Amino acid sequence: MSKQTLSFQAEVAQLLHLVTHSLYSNPDIFVRELISNASDACDKLRFEALDKPALYEDAPNLEVRVSFDKDAKTLTIADNGIGMSEQEAIEHLGTIAKSGTKDFMGRLTGDQKQDAQLIGQFGVGFYSGFIVADKITVESRRAGLPASEGVRWVSTGTGDFQVEQIERAQRGTSVILHLKDDAEEYLNAWKLKSVIAKYSDHISLPILMEKEEWKDGELITPGDEAGGRQPGAMVKTGEWEAVNKASALWTRPKKDITTEQYQDFYKAISHDHENPLTWAHNRVEGNTEYTQLLYIPAKAPFDLWNRDKKAGIKLYVKRVFIMDDAEALMPSYLRFVKGVIDSSDLPLNVSRELLQESRDVRAIREGSTKRVLSMLEDLAKHDKHDVPAAAADGAEAVTDVVDADDKAKEGKYSQFYAEFGAVLKEGLGEDFGNRERLAKLLRFASTSSDTATVSFADYKARMKEGQEAIYYITADTLAAAKNSPQLEVFKKKGIEVLLMTDRVDEWALNYLHDFDGTPLQSVAKGAVDLGKLQDEAEKKAAEEAAEAFKPLLAKLKDALKDKAEDVRVTSRLVDSPACLVVQDDGMSTQLARMLKQAGQ
Ligand code: ADP
Ligand code: MG
């Protein structure tokens, strides 16, 4: 078949431009991206071959080979994984199919530094090759297709690419980078090994490089040892050796893993370039056996609020990669958690559908959820804002959470909360079983704190004598909450009110009626009953006022009959003449506004 020239999808062209312009300062990452693609391709082959062993052809040992040619100035990353058909090459290397891409594109600011960070989170993938190459040739053949159905894909990373059919004996993919002049440092075994060690050590299949040996130069005058030699050089030996440890990090004992290795592994699986806040690495034994290595990132990803956002958990079964984004393993309100779960109980050919139904999976999910909550409780405990030892009773011990010393945990909970607190609140509605543990992890601003650092426990500890409820108000902004007329009587009496300004607060609080036996009460709902906080004189005055204003109230009620359900005398105002409230069982004004915004 003849060569055809095709255009990149517009988003790809845009991404390419961005990648080459924003990431030149960190070119090494192309190695990570291309090796991770090679490794993914091998994982895919292994998975497909579970049903169809013939796909292995005569090469059952999956591997990645990295080689370079100094004269041609090319660097090649080759794998014997699943490969691509011509159609797949066109689709996978010419378009971006990932959900969230549009969202991503929409967030680009034009500011290189910021955009580079975003790209880091997004994972630039294959196109990162163009940071160092002015031309990339990909040669591939999909496992199972005949040798005559290989494909060559070539592009200079501008507007278009060429594809043609080629003869290719070996299955899998070779990515050949024609290096730019300023990227010649990658034509060096030492450099490549160090980058591979940094980014790809955890890859669980061997990454091979050809061994080099020092060879002395030729004698200048043959036969005359004393006459000197031409300069020597490293020459290739034809023998290949693994340059990575090829051990899945999570399978190694904790004591053999350094903090830096944990952090590097996180960066490798998350595309994040910052260190994680904390992590937990455990082998769980019992009815269901599995290993978990779970990380809490320091920064929220740009698409945290995307409802289709994939969970960050990779599922392995006995070290064989099964799938990314295993959403069945982590509830949606913990979708920011990244990591690996390796189970020895699930069948290798487990499908997403099966995952949903498996009892083992349910046990793993419960165990992992608890583990994440423990990590958070541990951070909260060491946060200096926190009241000490708000230790979760009934919670499992949190002592074996692996992390640096306690000192290093200071301030981390506030950092976590600022990034992910709002997501965590979704758990109140989603995870009935852990509601109480979650409630303890929540923090709010209040009339005594502008920052979201007040826990329900803090609040309770400061409640006034005779106060019977935890009071809160919801509003769009902190300023609106603080200046609400509904707070007047609380201010006057010096009663703290929690100020809730997250969009999810209203919804989430529907699921939390009390904390530790003390009811939660919105100051904007119904008639505020201050109970014992009101003295006899005040009560009497209120009753008298209600009586005295009866005729006026009747008139107002009549005048507003289509607009207001009731008009009554209130004790919640001090300076303002009137305010709107909702019925006890009514939808709050805030929720009503939210639903209206959402078009309901
Ligand atoms: P991602 O890996 O996140 O899907 P990439 O840009 O890295 O995104 O790769 C795009 C797609 O190209 C991959 O999903 C895969 O289908 C295909 N691909 C890339 N490299 C290889 C390879 N070495 N073998 C087979 N397919 C590949
Ligand atoms: Mg990739």
Side-chain angles (χ1 to χ4, degrees), residues 204-221:
S204 55
L205 72 167
I207 301 169
L208 307 176
M209 282 181 67
E210 200 174 342
K211 258 191 184 157
E212 287 183 309
E213 231 170 45
W214 180 259
K215 187 161 176 274
D216 286 337
E218 300 292 311
L219 292 177
I220 290 173
T221 317

Side-chain angles (χ1 to χ4, degrees), residues 371-435:
R371 178 61 55 193
V372 174
L373 295 181
S374 300
M375 274 197 271
L376 296 178
E377 283 158 359
D378 187 52
L379 288 185
K381 202 170 79 193
H382 291 91
D383 205 72
K384 28 183 195 322
H385 296 291
D386 209 49
V387 220
D393 38 35
E396 67 183 86
V398 294
T399 43
D400 59 346
V401 171
V402 178
D403 196 8
D405 55 75
D406 292 350
K407 188 86 189 142
K409 292 177 190 160
E410 263 179 33
K412 281 190 175 173
Y413 192 69
S414 326
Q415 198 187 339
F416 161 80
Y417 203 80
E419 296 287 323
F420 301 108
V423 191
L424 198 64
K425 288 174 190 165
E426 293 175 14
L428 292 180
E430 209 185 303
D431 188 355
F432 191 81
N434 287 307
R435 193 171 294 164

